């Protein structure tokens, strides 16, 4: 069904937060689930994690980074505009349980999907250590929100311009594990190389690690298999079996390859779109 | 005209696009009968007092009656006659396997060729549509009963059409953004133009059927929640949408698709119009399609239309065992699809970037008949060879999608995950819940799903009227 954009906020250069009207989804969704959005009649269907919801107001919040045509187009929408379709909540919710201490790690725009999980982990009684990271200070998002649902928060930047100097995986090892803090479970969401690095670290210390995968999808109901991923040598569909999996079992190389299937077409599509915007004289 | 004269008329061929031309466009292959051809073909019908053709029709269309109207030149009347039993004639005229149904029973087929019932059905429906807005039939006065239909494919649409006519308040819930199910995501434009599907669905909407798209039962709401919201009965026509893979090495390489994905990208998302439409598709040069059914034919012919140089249809048995319609096999061959029969993939070979570049195959021979009655394919040892391919479409069937079943307590399933439902009524183990189509039988045809929908609609009506 169509859905109205009622609030828009730019979190960093290319990251946007949007609140959409979607009553049924807002009441139904649980941490870890996502929606599929199609902006217009010729549009593609893209999955986006639900970063939050307000069941009373009937709204959901999404946070996304503009990379290709569709996310660019989405970022150009103004409050009051509509997207043609929004469907969900898709995927399985995160398994939330009091396990003791949980480290919730978000890299880049991955902080957005990790936020509702962090909130739920905290509410379930866990001691929550959150680590959020970005390339530099200007790209760190949702720091205050994350702080409000964490017992400890570490911010890491690749260039050291803010907080810990290094990757989130390094922050986890040096600032948490090596400092003798026992971690029962890790949840890591972000770019695939980041999730892989976190898993490589936690494997050494034998800490169970959940990752949330952002594969290419079409219908997101289990019908097409575009999102298939190898986990422990078995093929799963991210849309219905996931999006969360045991990070130690995921074939990240295959995931990276599969995310690149349409690289050329995505580039062409974006170029055409930006060209069109230029002709309209609109600022990107 | 007497029977003797009628017997003299030969079956009229349907004009179609030249194979070389149509292999590179997405326009519909046949042009359909002209009024003149239709009348001539209609005259071949002998109006048997006991029409066997009707027995062969899953939705019991009064075939001789509509054909007589065509012969008389009352084409709109013919369309209306069909629609007494079938709300989707333009679709069925195109995709029904008439050769194993009505036309197989036609007495003219005993000596020579049967009456082209499917072509005439198609003609009548197309003619009526060409005359402007199609008149909708009268519906019974509102019963106040609410029915939820899950899935907007052939089964769901049939149930919706039948129940709305009887005065019930009908809402269809569709997971995708467009209604039609397999008619829009699966069957390609060149076989079933999407504006025809849209206008047949529009006809149902004008009769009062409500359609909620982008609404996933099992996610957005559950069956139990539908009842809580005041629905009196639910029909599940969700299809068998889960793609089957072979489980051989390399199946997750880039360029290897399920037929569901390949066709959904091309049909529902119109990826063949990329970049005007946003959804991309891999336009392979050397494409292998695995399988021998209609979906395999559709995939192979789509690959050709996307610009492939070579399309190989790889099937483990021989042509005789192919489940595809004869007409589809014939069209595929005409267009230049290479058939690699008695051949089965063993593994896919990838490059360092994770793209498929080859497919190792095994030659097969036919052994003893298996459960399906077809001779079992047996690999010939040492017969491996490699086919250079950059795209593969796996079209070996589908299974039940567990989305609805797993969120509906008390709904009994069979071993393979399909819903247990009474063959005559569609009744499931849950009160007020009916099911029909592929989610009960496993993958079958549009018309069988419609037939199941027709029976379920009858049972749902009885159920609703007895429950006061």
């Amino acid at each position: 069904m169509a859905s109205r954009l009622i609030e828009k906020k730019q979190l960093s250069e290319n990251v946007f937060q949007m609140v959409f009207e979607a009553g049924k989804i807002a009441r139904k969704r649980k941490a870890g689930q996502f929606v599929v959005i199609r902006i217009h009649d010729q549009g593609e269907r893209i999955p986006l994690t639900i970063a939050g919801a307000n069941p009373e107001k009937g709204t959901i919040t999404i946070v996304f980074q503009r990379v290709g045509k569709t996310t660019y187009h989405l970022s150009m929408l103004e409050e009051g505009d509509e997207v043609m379709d929004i469907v969900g909540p898709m995927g399985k919710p995160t398994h939330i349980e009091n396990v003791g201490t949980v480290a919730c790690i978000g890299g880049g725009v991955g902080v957005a999907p990790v936020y509702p999980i962090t909130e739920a982990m905290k509410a379930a009684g866990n001691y929550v250590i959150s680590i959020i990271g970005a390339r530099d200070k200007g790209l760190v998002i949702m720091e205050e929100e994350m702080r409000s649902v964490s017992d400890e928060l570490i911010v890491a930047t690749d260039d050291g311009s803010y907080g810990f100097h290094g990757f989130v995986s390094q922050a986890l090892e040096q600032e948490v594990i090596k400092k003798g803090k026992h971690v029962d479970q890790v949840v890591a969401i972000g770019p695939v190389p980041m999730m892989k690095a976190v898993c490589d670290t936690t494997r050494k210390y034998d800490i169970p690690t959940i990752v949330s995968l952002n594969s290419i999808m079409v219908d997101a109901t289990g019908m097409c298999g575009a999102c298939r991923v190898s986990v422990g040598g078995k093929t799963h569909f991210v849309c219905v079996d996931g999006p969360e999996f045991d990070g130690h079992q995921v074939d990240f190389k295959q995931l990276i390859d599969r995310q690149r299937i349409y690289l050329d077409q995505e580039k062409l599509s974006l170029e055409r779109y930006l060209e069109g915007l230029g002709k309209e004289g609109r600022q990107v | 005209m007497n029977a003797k004269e009628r017997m003299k008329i030969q079956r009229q061929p349907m004009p179609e696009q030249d194979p070389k031309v149509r292999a590179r466009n997405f326009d519909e292959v046949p042009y359909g009968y002209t009024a003149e051809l239709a009348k001539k073909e209609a005259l071949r019908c002998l109006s048997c007092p006991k029409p066997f053709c009707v027995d062969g029709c899953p939705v019991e269309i009064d075939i001789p009656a509509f054909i007589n109207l065509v012969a008389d030149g009352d084409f709109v009347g013919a369309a209306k006659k069909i629609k007494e039993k079938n709300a989707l004639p333009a679709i069925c005229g195109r995709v029904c396997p008439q050769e194993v149904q009505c036309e197989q029973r036609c007495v003219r087929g005993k000596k020579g060729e049967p009456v082209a019932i499917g072509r005439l059905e198609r003609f009548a429906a197309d003619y009526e549509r060409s005359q402007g807005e199609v008149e909708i039939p009268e519906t019974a006065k509102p019963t106040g009963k609410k029915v939820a239909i899950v899935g907007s494919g052939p089964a769901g649409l049939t149930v919706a059409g039948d129940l709305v006519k009887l005065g019930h308040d009908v809402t269809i819930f569709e997971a995708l953004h467009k209604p039609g199910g397999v008619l829009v995501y699966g069957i390609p434009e060149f076989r079933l133009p999407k504006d025809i599907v849209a206008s047949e669905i529009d006809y149902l909407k004008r009769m009062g059927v409500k359609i909620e798209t982008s609404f996933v039962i099992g996610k957005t709401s559950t069956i139990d929640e539908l009842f809580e919201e005041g629905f009196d009965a639910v029909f599940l026509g969700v299809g068998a949408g889960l793609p089957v893979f072979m489980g051989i090495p390399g199946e997750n390489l880039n360029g290897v698709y399920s037929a569901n994905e390949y066709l959904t990208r091309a049909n529902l998302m119109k990826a063949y119009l990329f970049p005007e439409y946003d959804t991309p598709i891999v336009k392979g040069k050397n494409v292998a399609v695995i399988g021998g059914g209609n979906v395999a034919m559709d995939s192979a012919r789509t690959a050709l239309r996307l610009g492939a140089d070579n399309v190989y249809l790889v099937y483990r048995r021989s042509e005789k065992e192919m489940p595809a319609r004869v007409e589809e096999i014939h069209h595929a061959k005409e267009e230049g699809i290479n058939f690699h029969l008695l051949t089965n993939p063993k593994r896919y070979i990838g490059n360092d970037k994770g793209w498929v570049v080859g497919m190792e195959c095994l030659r097969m021979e036919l052994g003893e008949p298996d459960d399906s009655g077809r001779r079992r394919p047996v690999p010939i040892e040492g017969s491996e060879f490699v086919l250079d391919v950059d795209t593969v479409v796996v079209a070996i069937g589908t299974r039940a999608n567990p989305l609805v079943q797993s969120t509906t307590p008390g709904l009994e399933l069979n071993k393979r995950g399909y819903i247990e439902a009474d063959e005559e009524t569609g009744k499931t183990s849950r009160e007020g819940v009916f099911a029909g189509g592929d989610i009960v039988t496993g993958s079958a045809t549009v018309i069988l799903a419609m037939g199941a929908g027709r029976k379920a609609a009858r049972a749902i009506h009885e159920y609703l009227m007895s429950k006061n």
Side-chain angles (χ1 to χ4, degrees):
Chain A
M1 57 208 87
S3 175
R4 188 175 303 281
L5 168 60
I6 52 177
E7 209 185 299
K8 174 185 177 181
K9 206 163 112 190
Q10 189 160 6
L11 299 186
S12 70
E13 192 191 340
N14 285 312
V15 176
F16 294 80
Q17 178 176 305
M18 288 182 168
V19 178
F20 281 96
E21 267 172 7
K24 279 219 186 310
I25 302 173
R27 285 185 285 276
K28 250 339 214 315
R29 74 94 209 188
K30 292 199 170 82
Q33 291 187 295
F34 63 95
V35 288
V36 170
I37 287 183
R38 192 177 72 121
I39 303 176
H40 62 118
D41 196 41
Q42 275 134 303
E44 62 182 336
R45 299 167 62 99
I46 59 160
L48 291 167
T49 308
I50 303 168
N54 186 329
E56 285 79 38
K57 285 191 189 155
T59 61
I60 58 163
T61 304
I62 55 160
V63 175
F64 64 95
Q65 180 168 13
R66 57 179 180 197
V67 260
K69 188 216 159 169
T70 300
T71 42
Y72 252 92
H73 188 165
L74 197 57
S75 78
M76 299 300 288
L77 297 184
E78 298 299 340
E79 290 171 4
D81 288 349
E82 275 193 352
V83 291
M84 203 159 190
D85 299 289
I86 187 158
V87 54
M90 313 304 273
K92 288 187 176 156
T94 311
H95 178 71
I96 303 288
E97 180 186 358
N98 187 345
V99 292
T101 300
V102 180
C104 294
I105 307 178
V109 71
V111 177
V114 110
Y115 168 72
I117 299 171
T118 311
E119 192 180 24
M121 285 293 190
K122 175 84 179 130
N126 289 289
Y127 186 83
V128 176
I129 304 172
S130 294
I131 307 173
I132 62 173
R135 232 172 35 240
D136 61 50
K137 189 179 176 188
L139 300 177
V140 174
I141 61 164
M142 301 177 75
E143 184 183 344
E144 282 325 303
E145 287 94 328
M146 284 298 286
R147 195 180 303 280
S148 72
V149 294
S150 308
D151 293 288
E152 294 178 37
L153 177 79
I154 300 167
V155 181
T157 51
D158 299 359
D159 67 354
S161 55
Y162 186 46
F164 177 86
H165 186 174
F167 300 133
V168 287
S169 50
Q170 295 166 324
L172 171 69
E173 187 162 28
Q174 290 163 32
E175 299 296 309
V176 181
I177 301 171
K178 285 202 172 153
K179 288 202 170 153
K181 292 177 189 166
H182 178 78
V183 176
D184 296 287
Q185 195 190 328
V186 168
V187 179
I189 309 180
V192 179
M194 173 229 126
M195 290 192 283
K196 184 175 180 301
V198 169
C199 289
D200 289 343
T201 302
T202 56
R203 193 178 286 118
K204 282 194 293 192
Y205 300 98
D206 212 11
I207 307 170
T209 302
I210 299 292
V211 292
S212 178
L213 307 182
N214 49 342
S215 330
I216 293 174
M217 294 181 189
V218 185
D219 62 287
T221 63
M223 197 186 85
C224 84
C227 62
R228 57 200 195 276
V229 59
S230 297
V231 183
K234 250 190 90 187
T235 295
H236 290 271
F237 290 181
V238 174
C239 67
V240 286
D241 302 328
E244 290 168 11
F245 294 97
D246 174 356
H248 294 159
Q249 303 283 325
V250 170
D251 182 343
F252 285 108
K253 154 88 171 76
Q254 187 185 82
L255 180 65
I256 291 173
D257 285 344
R258 289 192 62 80
Q259 284 182 335
R260 291 185 178 151
I261 296 178
Y262 302 105
L263 225 49
D264 294 343
Q265 290 99 321
E266 283 162 6
K267 197 166 154 257
L268 171 74
S269 204
L270 179 60
E271 278 166 8
R272 283 180 87 242
Y273 178 71
L274 295 178
E275 221 171 85
L277 281 186
K279 278 187 199 139
E280 285 174 32
R282 291 177 75 179
Q283 291 284 316
V284 177
Chain B
M1 194 180 275
N2 64 33
K4 212 169 173 186
E5 285 167 323
R6 287 174 189 263
M7 287 297 285
K8 277 192 190 143
I9 309 170
Q10 295 296 305
R11 183 172 160 117
Q12 301 300 302
M14 183 162 55
E16 57 187 31
Q17 278 196 70
D18 179 80
K20 283 211 173 52
V21 176
R22 71 177 194 240
R24 299 296 176 191
N25 69 48
F26 276 85
D27 299 337
E28 193 177 10
V29 170
Y31 296 120
Y33 277 156
T34 58
E36 201 185 332
L37 286 170
K39 274 194 195 166
K40 198 165 179 194
E41 181 64 31
L43 285 172
R44 298 182 65 231
C45 176
L46 303 177
S47 301
C48 308
K50 262 195 205 164
F52 295 118
C53 53
V54 180
D55 298 340
C57 176
V59 295
E60 304 146 14
I61 294 171
D62 189 346
I63 294 167
F66 102 75
I67 290 182
N68 268 324
L69 289 163
V70 173
D72 291 345
D74 182 3
F75 304 140
V76 172
K80 284 197 177 131
K81 181 51 78 182
I82 300 169
K83 282 205 275 197
E84 287 173 10
K85 298 286 187 177
N86 181 352
L88 314 169
I91 294 170
C92 289
R94 287 170 165 83
V95 303
C96 265
Q98 291 98 8
E99 67 280 4
V100 295
Q101 295 177 159
C102 51
E103 293 183 19
Q104 191 187 43
R105 314 283 182 98
C106 175
V107 291
R108 294 279 324 246
K110 285 186 180 153
K111 278 189 206 159
E113 290 198 275
V115 175
I117 301 167
R119 292 170 183 181
L120 290 171
E121 178 184 29
R122 172 198 160 118
F123 168 79
D126 287 359
Y127 181 88
E128 188 192 27
R129 217 176 47 256
S130 74
Q131 299 302 298
E133 197 172 68
V134 173
E135 207 181 301
I136 57 163
E138 265 183 52
T139 49
K141 72 172 205 295
T143 61
K145 305 284 184 188
K146 283 177 75 182
V147 184
I149 293 171
V150 185
S152 64
L157 292 176
T158 303
V159 177
D162 284 5
L163 291 181
V164 84
K165 250 194 254 179
L166 293 165
H168 303 298
D169 180 350
V170 177
T171 307
I172 301 181
F173 295 94
E174 166 56 48
L176 293 171
H177 56 264
K178 261 196 193 118
V182 73
L183 306 171
V184 296
Y185 77 74
I187 304 175
E189 178 77 18
F190 55 84
R191 209 148 72 74
L192 180 62
K194 298 309 147 216
D195 59 350
I196 289 173
V197 181
S199 72
E200 305 233 80
I201 289 171
D202 186 53
Y203 171 80
L204 293 175
K205 280 192 191 162
R206 283 168 44 222
M207 279 166 66
V209 174
K210 286 169 272 186
I211 305 183
E212 294 248 23
T213 52
S214 294
F215 200 113
V216 187
I217 298 297
K219 290 289 182 189
T220 316
S221 283
T222 60
I223 299 297
D224 288 313
E225 285 165 335
L226 291 179
F227 282 119
E228 280 162 30
E229 281 168 30
F231 284 97
D232 300 292
V234 174
F235 175 78
L236 302 174
V238 297
L242 216 63
V244 174
F245 288 93
M246 291 172 69
I248 58 175
E251 237 170 358
N252 290 348
L253 286 166
N254 291 357
V256 181
Y257 282 107
S258 73
N260 266 6
E261 182 185 356
Y262 195 66
L263 293 174
T264 299
R265 283 181 181 274
N267 302 330
L268 176 72
M269 306 309 296
K270 301 233 179 292
Y272 63 92
L273 298 173
F274 178 88
E276 268 65 47
Y277 280 70
D278 291 340
T279 305
I281 192 165
V282 174
K283 294 183 174 177
K285 286 290 153 208
N286 297 296
V287 183
V289 176
I290 320 300
N294 289 324
V295 173
M297 298 302 150
D298 285 345
S299 303
R301 297 170 70 195
T302 296
L304 206 59
R305 284 158 173 78
L306 286 171
D309 295 331
N310 298 296
V311 181
Y312 309 107
L313 189 104
V314 178
Y315 181 54
R316 62 194 181 133
R317 306 182 200 242
S318 75
E319 191 174 322
K320 215 175 82 194
E321 289 83 19
M322 277 192 176
R325 288 183 67 191
V326 175
E327 183 183 310
E328 303 309 323
I329 296 171
H330 167 74
H331 275 149
K333 279 187 173 170
E334 260 189 349
E335 289 168 12
I337 307 289
N338 290 311
F339 281 49
H340 281 261
L341 301 170
L342 292 165
T343 306
N344 211 24
K346 192 177 164 193
R347 68 183 177 105
Y348 301 104
I349 303 157
N351 65 14
D352 59 344
K353 292 201 166 76
W355 279 86
V356 65
V357 293
M359 175 169 106
E360 188 175 292
C361 299
L362 269 171
R363 301 244 186 250
M364 314 291 275
E365 59 192 353
L366 293 179
E368 293 301 307
D370 62 13
D371 297 342
S372 72
R374 297 176 298 176
R375 293 178 64 194
R376 187 193 305 274
V378 186
I380 301 172
E381 231 177 281
S383 66
E384 286 89 346
F385 68 100
V386 173
L387 210 55
D388 288 341
V389 293
D390 53 24
T391 308
V392 174
V393 182
V394 183
I396 56 166
T398 53
R399 336 180 245 128
N401 188 328
L403 217 51
V404 171
Q405 298 88 301
S406 64
T407 56
T408 312
L411 191 65
E412 266 177 41
L413 309 179
N414 71 14
K415 279 202 300 272
R416 296 182 302 152
Y418 294 105
I419 298 172
E420 288 280 8
D422 183 89
E423 211 179 304
E424 286 308 309
T425 62
K427 273 188 189 142
T428 69
S429 56
R430 279 282 306 262
E431 196 195 324
V433 179
F434 300 76
D438 284 3
I439 192 57
V440 173
T441 58
S443 321
T445 60
V446 169
I447 190 68
L448 285 175
M450 290 178 62
R454 160 75 26 87
K455 289 178 180 170
R458 236 175 251 158
I460 293 169
H461 178 63
E462 268 168 38
Y463 171 77
L464 291 172
M465 299 323 281
S466 69
K467 204 186 118 200
N468 270 315

